[in-house]
Amino acid sequence: MDWDDLRTFLAIARYGTLSAAARALGVAQPTMGRRLAAMEERTGARLLQRHPGRFALTPLGETVLGNAERIEAEVLAAERAITGRDAALEGVVRLTTVDTLAARIVAPALAALQCRHPGIVIELVPDTRSLSLSRREADIALRMSRFEGHEVVARRAGRLAMGIYATPEWRDRIGTEQVRLISVLDDQAHLPEAKWLLEIFPDAVVGFRSNSREVQLQTALAGGGVAALARYRADAEPGLVRLCHGRPPLVRDIWLGVHSDMRHMPRMRAVMDAIIGALKASDAIINPVD
């Protein structure tokens, strides 16, 4: 097996479908299918078995998986060692963050950075998933929770205040009828704002779910119910009002992380400095004290 075979095998094993694996590797789904067929032909073995809706590991695939992951870790470590010595303020930087921050805070800051350093190419990935820095799914991550693992160098870069919002019509109906909530999907039900919303309205029903905060905001504007939203976004919407609820305010920490092997690269340092500067400059907006 060559490195492309291993990447194909690992991507399908992790994501379960050709389409998801193809997105992870940045190729088309038919290409991923051809790579799988070619790998099986070259190796003369079947490591993945197609089931309705997804692929699963065969017994041989389960045996091989650990070896493949160890090889991947060594290859990626070698790549980081090589690229970590790149001293030029140019090249690609892949940054992942949540959509709450991506469009209005991060994107303008990085566009301004590119005016000064046009050789830096930005790949901005707003994603609700926590893309892996160790597997090089991203170079830098800006998240609303602490990073795990000793390979990541992280720092708290800011704070984001949350509020409870609805249209004036919904505000006036609270207490006279059952409240409908706009919340997250089950995979994010553990997040502080999701729990906070249910604590404030324990008898409410969830009528709309989305992990996109922009979708939640637009749904609230359309009269879909009550949502927990970032104050810097929702306070600026004339169609929404912030509800008084008698509970302590919710303020979430913003964490910036980079793999330890990449942190000294000039282009990584420049991108991180630009993000930190943008968050500091926006602190009064994203974390109002009233």
Side-chain angles (χ1 to χ4, degrees):
M1 297 176 72
D2 61 20
W3 175 227
D4 284 336
D5 286 340
L6 286 173
R7 294 181 72 214
T8 297
F9 166 64
L10 287 170
I12 299 174
R14 284 168 178 154
Y15 297 103
T17 66
L18 292 179
S19 58
R23 286 194 297 271
L25 296 185
V27 300
Q29 181 175 338
T31 300
M32 184 62 64
R34 288 193 296 270
R35 286 184 178 182
L36 175 60
M39 180 189 74
E40 291 178 341
E41 183 177 351
R42 278 194 296 272
T43 60
R46 177 162 293 185
L47 306 180
L48 296 155
Q49 181 68 48
R50 186 189 296 273
H51 293 281
R54 65 181 292 108
F55 282 84
L57 291 168
T58 65
L60 178 59
E62 292 177 354
T63 302
V64 171
L65 179 63
N67 301 92
E69 288 179 332
R70 284 192 292 273
I71 294 170
E72 177 193 45
E74 292 297 329
V75 171
L76 294 177
E79 288 181 356
R80 290 192 299 269
I82 294 169
T83 56
R85 295 180 180 275
D86 186 353
L89 272 168
E90 59 184 29
V92 176
V93 177
R94 186 174 176 86
L95 168 68
T96 179
T97 187
V98 293
D99 63 349
T100 307
L101 301 171
R104 295 178 179 249
I105 302 295
V106 175
L110 298 184
L113 173 67
Q114 287 181 307
C115 291
R116 302 190 299 273
H117 304 292
I120 296 178
V121 178
I122 301 296
E123 293 183 355
L124 180 57
V125 186
D127 204 313
T128 57
R129 299 172 300 148
S130 295
L131 300 186
S132 173
L133 297 178
S134 62
R135 293 201 298 266
R136 294 296 301 278
E137 292 176 343
D139 299 314
I140 300 170
L142 190 66
R143 296 178 183 166
M144 304 302 301
S145 58
R146 286 179 177 270
F147 290 82
E148 297 180 357
H150 64 279
E151 295 180 333
V152 177
V153 177
R155 59 170 291 182
R156 194 175 74 177
R159 306 193 80 199
L160 180 71
M162 309 292 294
I164 305 296
Y165 294 87
T167 60
E169 292 77 14
W170 253 114
R171 176 196 58 192
D172 296 340
R173 289 155 62 184
I174 292 174
T176 63
E177 61 182 89
Q178 190 172 40
V179 174
R180 289 175 62 84
L181 301 182
I182 302 165
S183 191
V184 295
L185 299 174
D186 289 342
D187 63 320
Q188 292 195 359
H190 63 284
L191 294 181
E193 60 265 34
K195 293 181 178 179
W196 190 49
L197 188 60
L198 288 174
E199 288 171 1
I200 294 171
F201 297 103
D203 299 323
V205 296
V206 178
F208 193 100
R209 298 181 190 273
S210 174
N211 285 349
S212 168
R213 275 43 176 186
E214 191 63 28
V215 168
Q216 290 182 7
L217 184 144
Q218 295 300 327
T219 303
L221 278 170
V226 178
L229 302 169
R231 286 194 54 186
Y232 92 96
R233 281 290 289 117
D235 283 349
E237 294 290 344
L240 294 177
V241 292
R242 183 157 58 97
L243 306 182
C244 297
H245 47 73
R247 294 294 183 98
L250 177 63
V251 181
R252 296 199 59 187
D253 291 334
I254 304 171
W255 292 87
L256 181 67
V258 63
H259 196 283
S260 58
D261 291 345
M262 311 287 282
R263 69 186 187 278
H264 295 306
M265 291 178 64
R267 67 176 182 269
M268 302 297 172
R269 187 73 260 168
V271 168
M272 290 189 292
D273 287 346
I275 294 170
I276 292 169
L279 289 170
K280 285 183 178 179
S282 304
D283 182 64
I285 299 172
I286 64 176
N287 186 25
V289 294
D290 62 303

